[in-house]
Amino acid sequence: MESKIIVALDFDSESKTLTFVDRVDPTQCRVKVGKELFTRCGPALVKQLVARNFDVFLDLKFHDIPNTVAHAVAAAADLGVWMTNVHASGGREMMVAARDAVATLNPGDRPLVIAVTVLTSLAAADLQAIGVSASPAEQVLNLARLAQDAGLDGVVCSAAETAALRAEMGADFCLVTPGIRRQEDAVGDQKRVVGPADAIVNGSDYLVVGRPITQAAEPTSELEAFNQAVSGASCIGC
């Protein structure tokens, strides 16, 4: 059974990243490369991860004019990544351009393209401060509907909104959930967090976990614990 865990490689160097991934079995997780790591190490590191047989989620949250985003998504596909993302708040035209940029690729070469809805670090007061009157749950649903209408494969969302999205979007819309913490894990800067089993029950397809695994004294044991936590869970509404 494929792992539902995506490990966020929140390291600041190639050496730290490769030291970690060399301890991890690519059949037990996927990995996420975000802005800091990509900015420091670039496409070459992504290619190394792909060469080590990891499914790579390139988490750069593209948000620009449609033409620029389309070329960026095509470049991500050229790296061999499994998944990449854009900001849903960039609008329907931008998301359609992202979808079309990889639409003609063979299924095995086409990355999933998903959209970021509302960052898990944002609460209602944070949205109000940037002029969004909707609650986080309402705004997530609004943006997820827009992403689905644009033909994207899914969205990034908090597990707090996953059940509503699963009911609204159907079983084939991919839901990727950060902010996953067990009771024993530090919350850090995440404000809307849910445990791994609860996230699967709510309808999440993949769970992004960073520091509880990457900063652990025994990361392989922690990864196994997260896999075990979700192994018996199944989505109620799927």
Side-chain angles (χ1 to χ4, degrees), residues 38-201:
F38 189 81
T39 301
R40 290 185 182 278
C41 301
L45 178 60
V46 175
K47 291 180 179 179
Q48 289 188 70
L49 295 171
V50 172
R52 282 170 161 80
N53 296 317
F54 283 97
D55 285 341
V56 178
F57 171 20
L58 186 60
D59 178 25
L60 300 183
K61 302 180 179 71
F62 300 126
H63 187 171
D64 212 308
I65 63 173
N67 185 62
T68 297
V69 168
H71 285 295
V73 169
D78 288 343
L79 294 177
V81 304
W82 160 68
M83 178 187 287
T84 191
N85 60 0
V86 302
H87 263 292
S89 55
R92 187 182 188 281
E93 183 181 353
M94 187 203 77
M95 287 190 283
V96 169
R99 176 203 68 192
D100 289 349
V102 295
T104 60
L105 296 178
N106 293 325
D109 298 324
R110 187 184 78 84
L112 296 174
V113 182
I114 64 174
V116 175
T117 53
V118 177
L119 298 173
T120 56
S121 60
L122 299 178
D126 301 305
L127 292 181
Q128 291 171 8
I130 58 174
V132 177
S133 59
S135 69
E138 292 168 338
Q139 184 68 354
V140 166
L141 188 55
N142 291 338
L143 293 173
R145 286 170 175 156
L146 188 64
Q148 187 176 54
D149 182 63
L152 295 195
D153 296 296
V155 294
V156 180
C157 64
S158 163
E161 294 93 33
T162 304
L165 288 181
R166 182 59 69 205
E168 175 84 12
M169 304 297 163
D172 296 331
F173 197 63
C174 184
L175 302 181
V176 179
T177 305
I180 300 298
R181 296 289 189 274
R182 300 162 301 176
Q183 288 186 339
E184 63 266 36
D185 297 324
V187 172
D189 57 1
Q190 304 286 352
K191 294 183 180 179
R192 305 194 318 282
V193 300
V194 175
D198 288 338
I200 298 299
V201 169

